Amino acid sequence: MTGEHTKRGSSGINGKRALPRRDVLALASAGAAATLPVFGRPARAAEPVKLGWVGPLSPPGGYAEGLLMKYASAMAADDINKQGGVLGRPIEILYQDTRGMAAEGTAAAERLCVQDKVAAIFGEFHSSVALAEMEVVHKYNVPFLACDVWSQEVTAKGYPQVFRNSITFPLLDVMIGDWIVAAGFKNAALLCEQDDIGLAWRKGVADVLTAHKTPFQLYTADPQATDFTAQVLRLKANNPPFDLFLVLYGEAGAYPMTRESHSLGFAPTANTALFVSGGEAVDPTFWKNVGKAGLWLICENVGLPKSAWNDKTKAFVAAFNAKYKTDPPGSAMEAYDAVWNLAEAIKNSGSTAPEAIIHGLETLHWVGTRGLYTYSTSKDPAWAYHQYMDAPESILQYNAQDQSSFDAPIVWPKKYATVPYLYKKPTA
Amino acid sequence: MAAAHQSGAPSLSARDLVAGYLPGIEILHGVSVDVLPYEVRAVLGPNGTGKSTLLKVLYGFLKPGAGEIKSGSRVLTGAAPHEMGGYGIVYLPQRPSVFPFLSVEVNLRLGAWRLRSRHGLVREKIERAFAQFPALYEKRHQSAGTLSGGQQRQLEFARSLLLDPNVYLIDEPTASIEPRIATQIYELIQGLAQQGKAILLVDQNIKGALGIADYVYVMRTGSLYTEGKRAEFGEDVELLVSQWLYTHHAPKPS
Amino acid sequence: MRAPDILLSLLLAGLAAAFPFLVNAYWLHVMIIGMIYAIIAASWSLLAGFAGQFSFGHVAFVAIGGYTAGILAVSLHVPLPLGMLAGIVAAALIGAGVGWTCLRMSGPYLAIFTMAFSEVLRITIVTENEITGGPGGLNVPQLFHAQTDLPYYYLILALLVVSVVGMMLVLASRWGLFFRAIRENEQAAAAAGVKVTRFRILACAIASGVAGLAGGFYAPYIGILTPDVASQDQMGLVVAMAIVGGVETLPGVVAGAIAVEFMVEALRSYGQWRLVLFGLLLLLTMRFARNGLLAPGWLAIRRLAVLQGQRLIRGTAD
Amino acid sequence: MLDYFLIQSANGIVIGVIYALIATGLTIIFALLKIVNFAHGELYMMGGYFGYYVITLAGVPPLPAVVAAMAISFAFAVAIERGLLTPLYSPGMERKSDYGILITFGLAVFLRNIAIIIFGPFPLRPPSFFDGDLVLGGLIISYDRLVAAGGGLLILVLLIFFLNRTVWGQALNAVSQSRESASIVGINSERMYMFAFGLGGALAGGAGALVAPIYSLSPSMGLVPDTQAFVIVILGGLGSVSGSIIAGILLGLSENLFIAFLPDPNRGPSYANAFGLFIMMLVLLFRPTGIFGRHHAAME
């Protein structure tokens, strides 16, 4: 916390006097003069409030989700600016691609904090990258509202600058674990991609299953893998047979996996249920890719279930649909709300200073597309700190091919459930 | 030079060729040669003097920095090597140019690449070549790389004859080939000349080359040292040549 | 070294020392990353450019250096400087081992063998997450507890100078002569009495050790070490840096690495288009300026400096 | 147990055929141009998308679309060769293999990232060749996989026929053995390089179009096949087409069995890619030019 002064100070040493020289040097060494925003201009009347977005837009990161989050953020900025912006200033979002790599995240955050001098940063999709970015925002004291990162470490570190408006594994895992027990599954196979998301998810679910004494078996595979025949056949041949197959994979793997698992007669079948975690099953091209294999598939949804939609959710879904010809997944809603959260925090505390934004978020009481946002200040448990504790989460099971995720029956938790059953066995 | 022209117009002539592999390093400093039908013309000279380079320039592997190459009235300077066959020029490099992993038959077939769309004609020509070189027919399904050095040379000649060329540029045809076979190869070359081919022969085997040469060029360090008809050099020409060359490559009198 | 060289070197040294005070913290960070890459690219150049072993797995040694330091610090609480030293030793030893293993390989076989080594290492780091932290990353403690990057900057500057000058001295010695002889023609070198085996392995060990040093610094500086360090993308970036700088001069490679790093960062504002543009720039550079962009530029500057210097001398003489 | 082994083997062979198809393209490019094409996986990816758009935009049925994808891939690869690779043929060019590696690496970065912008980040899947699965006792193989393997096998057979029995194939082979000798018989080597790169691109593109209904298309789909193809061409010997086919099928088979039988089920699939690489490293140790390799170290 004291660091910010030193750091800010050190860039202040160079003050206005050194600016031209600094410009020239940076420009010359960059070799791409036109691309660099000129910094250090005197403030104009309606200088925009700059927010930085970080997230994957290219491989090896989860660029598909990243792009949807970027779309949603841009929509939020538009909507806010149409209403006159915040504190009479328009919102401007600077987007930084992190490629899902920690070092890229560090550089992106450095740039946003130091070069672009953003008021706050939001977004991200990979926990490992968020953890690297957090060190930077902590150093420069810039508020950071993490969206689709589920590792509990993010909030558990207790950095005052860091908030999260998505669910976190402890919440998700408990929900999935409770559902598994309630639905009466006896033997689960967990298969996930070998990366930060997959491993954290696997560990969380495994812990819950262990606690519930539900037998399970763990498998991991390369995140780039697309051929799962051998793996699925092995799972199918397992003795005792698995009655639940839980998968966490990026789109490029999850879709062929779903098709393969269906075509080889493993899951979803009357014997084995298929649960695809991570949001792939609510993405725009899900049905085009899996076809009939997606029928009876189960997945979690981190958006507000349709039954609980408010006017903002309805408006956002309609607008997103109109603009991008697809339903927005929960992660897009998180990004959309994140911009609004930050705008509200700035508005309420009347300043873009870090402390003001942090205070604004801590005292936030605002209804968005995913319900009523409040951020916990309790550190018990550690991950609860600055966590949106009521982040919506539910489990749905498709019961028709090409069904919109919004229309799919919700089986868990009971407060959102739209059908009386917990799990519908596929009919042959 | 005047004497050379008596037997007819040259099939290939080069004037004042200057060439080198690297910028600034010249290997040929202005060499002029003529190749005439019914004649074997030998280029002799010590190692590293630019004899092979001369052939490479003539065949288009190396573009000359200056000078001109003509075939009749057609200017060939700057033409690519794969076009040379079209002008009736054949090049036989020092290391046999057969394709070692392809069969003898396929090697021949590729020799008729220019005629590839005329299947019947190609087949006929290959049959004729096999008739001329029966040893090759026996090994037609074998990879060319498994043939002996002499047989590979035979294959090259057989292949080149498919297109009935009129100029042969030959580089050390008997390098690392046993003497008995070497004699056969020189006879083959002489036979080609008698059929009216124009032959330019670069050789280290001075005795062999002089045995069939009608005309001799002697090169030293990138330029012509002397030239003249074989007959003008008299009987002890070998000794003479080896004296010019001051090299240990001069054949011992046998 | 001639007078203009000394002059230019002094100028550069002054500029390097003053750099942190000329730019903001973001560009300082970019510079530090650029210098880490400079060490990696220069060591790769030693191996590929001078010793003729085109390795496509050099980043594996960065990972070995980094993970050795990181794991020692995290699991066994070994002090970081000691861990970094261990990382250099480990990288050099394993590098020597790999060099010994691929003694008989050359060209594309060597490139792909080393790439495979690097991939196997990366997959192992990913899979053995109990030890390495897996893809989620290994949290490495900080080296300095200062609030600015200044100490890191001066440390990496020193490491860069020491390693590059060290490698230049090696290249200027008899060893460097042997490296080049082996590159030009292994058989001929062996015939001339060069101990080919020994010097091929030696080149690998030196280059790998230096790469390990870069990794050892990278780990605590970024604070989190992920298996991507050893990815093929990173390797390509390093090779691109070396080529842009002109593989045959180490200072050129250093400049190339720093310039490419600044360029990649400057392209940030293009979002999704950034890597598209990077790929395009790489293609255009390779296609139209094959000898690198910087070495010819450097020569031009040097010529200008010599000219100016002469004019100056002439001016005072008049 | 025997059933399980046979089923796994059958699937392994199906995958192996696809591997072989990708790898033969890589090996042909290497044999002629003497460069390792680091953008080969991206040509595979582009071929898949070409097929997809031929189906969805032009309404061509899936099977003919594979042929169309190969034709477009051929033209695409030829354009790349003309634009980027011609400097390789100039006699004064030094460090040809470095140039080849870097230019194709830059191309891979460019194509992979522009694909996200052009084709969108989400996986796309063209319609099936034939819906449904073949069920033979315990053996279940989707018709899409059978078509992909069958189509791949057919392409490979045609390729072998082309290379060995037609004069154009023999000319390609001739240029790969000696550019100089090829010029002597009148073959324009540069045109053959262009043709070889186009052919390599068409083979990769055909593979991409064949697997599209099985794996779906995504901009990053070329990453793994690229590594696999390297493994295969090394095992088979750079430049050896039949070697690549055999090695491709063996790799598909052994990877599948590795996943199927590794005692630690958790790590198996994670190490599956490393397994192939490891085998390749072992082979290189004992045969530094691959199993069936001719000696093709550098461009002439």
Side-chain angles (χ1 to χ4, degrees):
Chain A
M1 277 313 302
T2 49
E4 131 239 357
H5 298 294
T6 334
K7 215 34 186 208
R8 285 275 151 106
S10 82
S11 65
I13 290 171
N14 313 315
K16 288 234 157 66
R17 206 163 33 82
L19 269 181
R21 217 162 14 127
R22 200 165 73 184
D23 266 357
V24 167
L25 187 72
L27 291 175
S29 40
T35 73
L36 284 173
V38 178
F39 41 93
R41 288 253 179 85
R44 274 167 285 138
E47 195 182 343
V49 173
K50 284 189 195 166
L51 299 178
W53 178 88
V54 283
L57 291 174
S58 50
Y63 50 86
E65 260 82 6
L67 197 66
L68 285 182
M69 292 172 77
K70 186 185 165 189
Y71 286 162
S73 317
M75 284 175 66
D78 278 355
D79 290 350
I80 294 169
N81 290 340
K82 262 181 232 155
Q83 296 183 10
V86 59
L87 304 181
R89 293 158 63 186
I91 295 244
E92 182 192 347
I93 302 178
L94 304 167
Y95 300 94
Q96 287 293 337
D97 175 17
T98 62
R99 305 181 64 204
M101 291 160 81
E104 290 265 349
T106 305
E110 284 272 357
R111 175 161 182 135
L112 290 169
C113 292
V114 178
Q115 177 83 14
D116 301 324
K117 301 206 164 43
V118 295
I121 298 178
F122 71 102
E124 198 43 72
F125 177 74
H126 296 278
S127 294
S128 61
V129 185
L131 287 167
E133 288 157 351
M134 280 163 50
E135 296 302 327
V136 179
V137 299
H138 182 57
K139 188 166 74 176
Y140 296 122
N141 191 29
V142 174
F144 180 45
L145 177 48
C147 292
D148 214 48
V149 290
W150 296 355
S151 164
Q152 64 200 71
E153 282 299 308
V154 172
T155 42
K157 271 217 159 167
Y159 286 171
Q161 294 86 0
V162 178
F163 292 77
R164 165 164 46 202
N165 78 355
S166 76
I167 49 154
T168 174
F169 281 119
L171 293 172
L172 178 73
D173 298 338
V174 167
M175 176 183 73
I176 296 178
D178 287 350
W179 170 76
I180 291 172
V181 174
F185 290 104
K186 295 281 176 281
N187 192 16
L190 273 69
L191 175 61
C192 66
E193 58 188 13
Q194 182 81 6
D195 65 7
D196 54 336
I197 305 171
L199 293 181
W201 172 84
R202 188 186 81 171
K203 185 179 178 306
V205 177
D207 286 350
V208 177
L209 292 182
T210 311
H212 287 296
K213 296 194 171 58
T214 304
F216 64 91
Q217 183 67 252
L218 299 176
Y219 302 89
T220 47
D222 188 291
Q224 300 294 343
T226 51
D227 196 294
F228 298 99
T229 308
Q231 191 57 46
V232 170
L233 285 173
R234 183 170 186 157
L235 292 172
K236 194 183 168 193
N238 197 66
N239 196 18
F242 292 116
D243 58 2
L244 174 63
F245 182 28
L246 291 124
V247 174
L248 184 133
Y249 239 92
E251 286 85 358
Y255 298 160
M257 156 97 73
T258 302
R259 277 201 307 277
E260 209 43 25
S261 166
H262 172 261
S263 130
L264 294 172
F266 176 52
T269 58
N271 296 328
T272 314
L274 175 62
F275 189 115
V276 171
S277 191
E280 282 68 28
V282 297
D283 274 350
T285 60
F286 171 70
W287 286 108
K288 262 191 215 158
N289 278 284
V290 301
K292 61 181 188 297
L295 181 59
W296 305 117
L297 182 140
I298 307 150
C299 68
E300 84 273 328
N301 179 18
V302 296
L304 204 58
K306 197 174 185 176
S307 56
W309 281 6
N310 57 40
D311 292 344
K312 281 181 184 159
T313 327
K314 287 174 194 158
F316 173 69
V317 170
F320 196 93
N321 245 315
K323 196 158 182 187
Y324 300 110
K325 311 282 174 272
T326 177
D327 289 338
S331 55
M333 296 187 190
E334 288 164 4
Y336 181 81
D337 284 354
V339 182
W340 275 100
N341 278 193
L342 290 168
E344 283 300 309
I346 291 169
K347 196 171 81 188
N348 291 345
S349 49
S351 159
T352 57
E355 282 72 20
I357 296 179
I358 291 169
H359 178 74
L361 286 172
E362 281 178 346
T363 54
L364 187 73
H365 197 84
W366 181 81
V367 175
T369 65
R370 291 167 69 247
L372 175 65
Y373 281 87
T374 54
Y375 291 97
S376 154
T377 48
S378 151
K379 289 197 175 182
D380 184 31
W383 56 262
Y385 182 59
H386 285 179
Q387 166 71 33
Y388 173 28
M389 295 300 283
D390 300 325
E393 48 174 356
S394 56
I395 294 176
L396 58 84
Q397 183 181 23
Y398 291 110
N399 65 356
Q401 200 177 325
D402 296 324
Q403 191 168 43
S404 157
S405 64
F406 296 144
D407 300 329
I410 293 179
V411 295
W412 191 262
K414 279 292 160 203
K415 67 170 171 176
Y416 291 132
T418 57
V419 284
Y421 54 81
L422 294 176
Y423 163 60
K424 183 89 165 180
K425 261 190 191 183
T427 45
Chain B
M1 281 305 291
H5 290 280
Q6 283 167 4
S7 48
S11 304
L12 183 71
S13 66
R15 287 287 160 272
D16 307 319
L17 293 177
V18 174
Y21 297 93
L22 298 168
I25 304 171
E26 244 176 47
I27 293 182
L28 299 182
H29 315 292
V31 176
S32 300
V33 290
D34 290 290
V35 198
L36 280 81
Y38 297 102
E39 273 192 17
V40 175
R41 294 198 158 200
V43 181
L44 306 176
N47 254 340
T49 195
K51 303 190 301 291
S52 293
T53 307
L54 172 65
L55 291 193
K56 286 200 171 124
V57 174
L58 287 174
Y59 200 70
F61 278 117
L62 189 61
K63 288 199 172 38
E68 192 182 47
I69 304 165
K70 283 171 88 172
S71 163
S73 58
R74 216 167 2 198
V75 177
L76 298 186
T77 324
H82 66 264
E83 296 165 349
M84 288 298 176
Y87 302 121
I89 302 168
V90 163
Y91 170 57
L92 303 183
Q94 196 171 340
R95 210 179 47 174
S97 65
V98 299
F99 303 107
F101 300 106
L102 290 173
S103 72
V104 169
E105 193 169 344
V106 171
N107 263 279
L108 282 176
R109 219 174 132 185
L110 285 171
W113 171 250
R114 229 173 290 282
L115 306 171
R116 59 190 173 277
S117 52
R118 299 161 69 184
H119 299 284
L121 183 67
V122 172
R123 206 171 306 125
E124 197 182 302
K125 279 182 175 270
I126 291 175
E127 274 163 22
R128 218 180 301 153
F130 277 142
Q132 199 176 345
F133 297 94
L136 293 181
Y137 181 72
E138 284 165 28
K139 305 199 165 177
R140 65 189 182 282
H141 296 306
Q142 237 169 285
S143 294
T146 62
L147 300 182
S148 70
Q151 283 167 334
Q152 292 192 18
R153 279 286 176 221
Q154 278 196 355
L155 177 55
E156 265 186 305
F157 278 108
R159 193 178 72 186
S160 68
L161 283 168
L162 294 177
L163 294 179
D164 199 21
N166 44 40
V167 178
Y168 274 81
L169 307 174
I170 307 177
D171 196 353
E172 292 202 47
T174 58
S176 63
I177 281 179
E178 58 173 296
R180 191 173 54 83
I181 307 290
T183 315
Q184 287 176 15
I185 289 173
Y186 284 118
E187 280 168 11
L188 194 65
I189 296 173
Q190 198 166 26
L192 290 173
Q194 282 157 6
Q195 289 167 40
K197 314 284 184 203
I199 291 163
L200 188 66
L201 173 67
V202 160
D203 218 333
Q204 292 286 2
N205 182 347
I206 294 173
K207 185 179 180 184
L210 286 177
I212 58 168
D214 300 294
Y215 193 90
V216 179
Y217 294 102
V218 180
M219 274 183 79
R220 257 169 97 178
T221 55
S223 33
L224 285 183
Y225 175 69
T226 181
E227 64 179 291
K229 284 198 161 190
R230 165 71 178 85
E232 291 170 9
F233 288 97
E235 277 316 299
D236 39 351
V237 64
E238 277 171 40
L239 195 67
L240 212 62
V241 171
S242 54
Q243 276 168 0
W244 296 331
L245 303 181
Y246 298 112
T247 70
H248 54 277
H249 287 286
K252 292 184 191 83
S254 49
Chain C
M1 240 177 157
R2 293 199 305 175
D5 283 332
I6 295 173
L7 215 71
L8 271 175
S9 306
L10 283 176
L11 198 75
L12 268 177
L15 200 68
F19 186 81
F21 305 101
L22 301 174
V23 297
N24 63 22
Y26 165 62
W27 290 112
L28 185 64
H29 168 78
V30 174
M31 187 60 160
I32 293 173
I33 299 282
M35 289 197 288
I36 297 175
Y37 276 119
I39 296 180
I40 303 170
S43 61
W44 179 80
S45 260
L46 174 99
L47 188 61
F50 290 89
Q53 301 184 52
F54 194 101
S55 159
F56 212 75
H58 199 57
V59 285
F61 300 101
V62 180
I64 290 171
Y67 274 97
T68 306
I71 291 171
L72 284 179
V74 173
S75 314
L76 302 171
H77 307 288
V78 174
L80 264 172
L82 217 62
M84 286 163 69
L85 214 62
I88 298 171
V89 173
L93 285 179
I94 298 173
V98 171
W100 176 78
T101 318
C102 51
L103 274 177
R104 289 161 66 203
M105 292 167 217
S106 59
Y109 292 97
L110 180 74
I112 292 180
F113 181 89
T114 47
M115 186 208 80
F117 169 75
S118 163
E119 271 294 287
V120 169
L121 182 82
R122 189 187 63 82
I123 293 172
T124 309
I125 295 173
V126 164
T127 310
E128 301 304 327
N129 53 295
E130 286 93 352
I131 304 164
T132 61
L138 181 72
N139 283 293
V140 183
Q142 297 269 303
L143 195 53
F144 302 108
H145 293 281
Q147 290 295 339
T148 76
D149 288 342
L150 275 181
Y152 283 107
Y153 174 80
Y154 287 112
L155 176 61
I156 189 71
L157 182 63
L159 292 177
L160 176 66
V161 170
V162 167
S163 58
V164 169
V165 169
M167 287 192 289
M168 284 170 78
L169 288 177
V170 166
L171 289 174
S173 72
R174 277 160 51 85
W175 289 9
L177 199 69
F178 295 155
F179 289 165
R180 264 163 284 185
I182 293 169
R183 176 188 73 188
E184 291 309 323
N185 189 335
E186 212 169 300
Q187 275 84 30
V194 178
K195 297 209 162 37
V196 172
T197 306
R198 181 187 301 171
F199 282 98
R200 271 189 72 151
I201 294 176
L202 197 65
C204 277
I206 294 174
S208 307
V210 175
L213 166 75
F217 177 85
Y218 177 87
Y221 177 64
I222 295 288
I224 186 164
L225 203 53
T226 55
D228 299 322
V229 186
S231 71
Q232 283 179 58
D233 270 3
Q234 288 294 307
M235 189 62 230
L237 184 65
V238 167
V239 178
M241 286 168 163
I243 300 280
V244 166
V247 194
E248 308 247 336
T249 59
L250 290 189
V253 171
V254 169
I258 293 171
V260 169
E261 175 61 22
F262 270 82
M263 187 193 75
V264 170
E265 284 297 324
L267 287 175
R268 269 201 178 280
S269 18
Y270 289 98
Q272 265 177 295
W273 287 93
R274 179 163 74 115
L275 290 168
V276 176
L277 291 174
F278 173 68
L280 202 62
L281 280 172
L282 190 58
L283 287 180
L284 292 177
T285 312
M286 284 307 290
R287 179 69 181 77
F288 298 108
R290 230 159 296 130
N291 296 326
L293 292 172
L294 293 168
W298 171 254
L299 280 179
I301 293 173
R302 201 172 159 277
R303 212 171 302 131
L304 206 74
V306 171
L307 220 69
Q308 290 294 330
Q310 282 170 349
R311 196 170 300 160
L312 215 73
I313 292 164
R314 221 177 296 138
T316 50
D318 280 348
Chain D
M1 201 59 206
L2 187 65
D3 266 4
Y4 179 67
F5 175 79
L6 290 177
I7 292 166
Q8 289 282 20
S9 306
N11 272 303
I13 289 170
V14 169
I15 299 161
V17 169
I18 299 296
Y19 282 178
L21 200 55
I22 303 169
T24 45
L26 191 67
T27 217
I28 287 174
I29 291 173
F30 180 80
L32 273 280
L33 285 87
K34 308 286 188 277
I35 59 163
V36 179
N37 178 20
F38 274 77
H40 206 65
E42 278 59 43
L43 292 177
Y44 160 83
M45 178 264 298
M46 293 301 287
Y49 279 106
F50 290 146
Y52 178 84
Y53 285 108
V54 165
I55 295 170
T56 52
L57 297 182
V60 175
L63 269 176
V66 174
V67 181
M70 288 182 77
I72 301 171
S73 297
F74 183 90
F76 183 68
V78 165
I80 289 172
E81 186 270 351
R82 287 289 96 191
L84 298 176
L85 299 180
T86 44
L88 283 171
Y89 318 142
S90 75
M93 172 90 178
E94 287 176 35
R95 296 178 169 272
K96 290 188 181 187
S97 61
D98 298 12
Y99 178 80
I101 289 178
L102 265 177
I103 200 100
T104 55
F105 176 81
L107 183 67
V109 172
F110 174 75
L111 288 177
R112 201 184 305 146
N113 287 287
I114 204 158
I116 299 176
I117 294 169
I118 297 175
F119 306 127
F122 291 101
L124 295 174
R125 180 176 177 261
S128 287
F129 296 113
F130 298 105
D131 254 327
D133 309 288
L134 174 78
V135 182
L136 280 175
L139 178 68
I140 303 171
I141 300 182
S142 69
Y143 288 126
D144 278 342
R145 269 177 197 260
L146 282 179
V147 170
L153 222 47
L154 180 69
I155 295 172
L156 288 175
V157 168
L158 289 176
L159 178 74
I160 290 183
F161 176 82
F162 170 78
L163 289 177
N164 293 327
R165 298 285 158 176
T166 69
V167 72
W168 275 87
Q170 289 160 352
L172 272 182
N173 207 335
V175 176
S176 84
Q177 291 171 34
S178 167
R179 183 184 172 184
E180 187 190 72
S181 304
S183 306
I184 289 171
V185 297
I187 299 170
N188 183 347
S189 308
E190 196 167 317
R191 192 172 298 168
M192 286 294 157
Y193 293 151
M194 183 175 91
F195 179 57
F197 201 81
L199 184 62
L203 289 168
L210 280 172
V211 301
I214 306 171
Y215 297 151
S216 290
L217 299 165
S218 68
S220 53
M221 70 189 274
L223 287 170
V224 170
D226 226 358
T227 326
Q228 308 290 47
F230 290 153
V231 171
I232 293 162
V233 294
I234 291 287
L235 287 176
L238 274 166
S240 164
V241 170
S242 47
S244 287
I245 295 175
I246 296 168
I249 294 173
L250 282 180
L251 183 75
L253 186 63
S254 54
E255 268 188 9
N256 236 48
L257 295 179
F258 177 80
I259 297 175
F261 290 100
L262 187 83
D264 181 352
N266 176 8
R267 286 188 166 88
S270 198
Y271 273 126
N273 284 339
F275 170 74
L277 290 164
F278 194 69
I279 299 275
M280 178 192 89
M281 289 167 74
L282 278 183
V283 166
L284 273 181
L285 276 186
F286 297 104
R287 284 201 52 115
T289 52
I291 299 178
F292 309 98
R294 295 173 190 165
H295 200 79
H296 284 288
M299 181 127 184
E300 295 159 44

